[in-house]
Amino acid sequence: GAGVSQSPSNKVTEKGKDVELRCDPISGHTALYWYRQSLGQGLEFLIYFQGNSAPDKSGLPSDRFSAERTGGSVSTLTIQRTQQEDSAVYLCASSLGGLNYNEQFFGPGTRLTVL
Amino acid sequence: GQQVMQIPQYQHVQEGEDFTTYCNSSTTLSNIQWYKQRPGGHPVFLIQLVKSGEVKKQKRLTFQFGEAKKNSSLHITATQTTDVGTYFCALPGDSSYKLIFGSGTRLLVRP
C-alpha cells in the first residue's frame, strides 16, 4: 500500500504566522512520530503517538508547538507564531506498535521556511 | 541519558574506495538500526542488529554490532555514486518506543 504521506511538501510563511503540517501514516501503523531536521543536521525527536495512549510531548521545543492525532490515524503538527529558527524539514514517521526495535517508515517531509 | 556518537561527520571518497561509519553508545544496547537518507530525501531503514557480535551483509554493505553491544559499524565495499547520502544509526532511547538518531555520516563519492 501507500507509504507515509505529508502535506504540504513546502511551506513558506512569515514570522509570527501559524502553520499546520499534516501527516498520513501507513494504514495499520499504531505509532506515529514527528521529527525536525535542520539543514545538514540529524533528526530531533518532537512528539510520539501510540494508539489511544497519551502522547509523549517531551521533545517539543516550546509551547508554540502542538500536535494531535485524530482517530488514531492522521496527525497534525501546529506551530504558532512561527520564528525564523523554526525553519527546518519536519518529518513524520510511523511504525507497527511503536517499539524501538520496529522499523520506522518516514514520509517525504515538509520543508518549512519562515521569513 | 543516552549518548550516541557517530563518526566521521563527513567523508568524501573516490568511486571504488571503501567507506566505514561508526556509531558508539555510552550504554549497552538492546538493538541498533541503520538508516540512509539520500540528498533531498527522507531516511530509509536499512537494517537492525540485535545480537552481540552480529554481522549482516546486504550486497556491498556490511553491518556489525560490537561484542559489548555498545558500538556498531557500517562498511561499504567499493563505493558507487548511488551510495551517496547520509547514513544514520538509531539507538533505543529512554523509553521502549523512542529511537535516538546519531548525527549521521555524510558520504560523497567522486565518479
Side-chain angles (χ1 to χ4, degrees):
Chain A
V4 178
S5 61
Q6 291 185 246
S7 62
S9 55
N10 281 285
K11 177 70 177 179
V12 180
T13 190
E14 293 179 347
K15 178 181 173 181
K17 301 277 190 178
D18 297 352
V19 296
E20 279 192 356
L21 313 180
R22 176 188 168 105
C23 172
D24 271 283
I26 292 173
S27 177
H29 280 192
T30 59
L32 187 148
Y33 301 78
W34 282 98
Y35 295 91
R36 179 169 68 175
Q37 186 174 36
S38 300
L39 186 63
Q41 302 299 310
L43 280 74
E44 175 189 5
F45 168 81
L46 296 178
I47 190 168
Y48 161 79
F49 295 91
Q50 170 63 52
N52 295 320
S53 302
D56 179 342
K57 305 178 182 180
S58 61
L60 295 178
S62 78
D63 59 7
R64 296 185 296 104
F65 288 72
S66 63
E68 59 180 27
R69 188 179 185 190
T70 53
S73 180
V74 171
S75 177
T76 303
L77 176 69
T78 301
I79 309 174
Q80 295 179 311
R81 305 180 303 281
T82 51
Q83 303 294 312
Q84 289 183 332
E85 61 262 28
D86 299 334
S87 296
V89 175
Y90 289 81
L91 290 161
C92 174
S94 70
S95 72
L96 288 168
L99 295 173
N100 59 34
Y101 51 78
N102 285 331
E103 171 187 354
Q104 292 191 11
F105 294 81
F106 284 82
T110 294
R111 181 175 299 278
L112 175 65
T113 303
V114 182
L115 302 176
Chain B
Q2 175 66 271
Q3 299 285 332
V4 54
M5 178 182 293
Q6 191 172 355
I7 56 172
Q9 182 178 4
Y10 169 88
Q11 190 152 10
H12 198 175
V13 301
Q14 185 71 43
E15 188 172 23
E17 292 182 338
D18 292 357
F19 160 78
T20 304
T21 174
Y22 300 89
C23 189
N24 298 298
S25 167
S26 57
T27 60
T28 302
L29 305 170
S30 58
N31 68 86
I32 189 167
Q33 297 181 9
W34 286 92
Y35 289 76
K36 176 184 178 181
Q37 185 174 24
R38 294 182 184 273
H42 56 276
V44 174
F45 175 84
L46 293 177
I47 207 160
Q48 178 177 260
L49 305 172
V50 178
K51 299 178 182 177
S52 168
E54 187 171 18
V55 177
K56 286 189 176 180
K57 293 190 176 185
Q58 292 179 351
K59 297 183 180 178
R60 295 177 294 102
L61 277 62
T62 301
F63 302 85
Q64 187 163 5
F65 204 5
E67 293 288 343
K69 300 182 75 173
K70 285 186 154 184
N71 56 73
S72 179
S73 65
L74 159 57
H75 180 82
I76 302 178
T77 303
T79 53
Q80 299 176 359
T81 54
T82 53
D83 296 324
V84 165
T86 302
Y87 293 84
F88 293 97
C89 61
L91 322 179
D94 55 6
S95 66
S96 62
Y97 55 82
K98 268 185 182 173
L99 284 179
I100 306 298
F101 283 81
S103 54
T105 296
R106 184 180 174 194
L107 172 64
L108 293 179
V109 180
R110 290 189 298 269

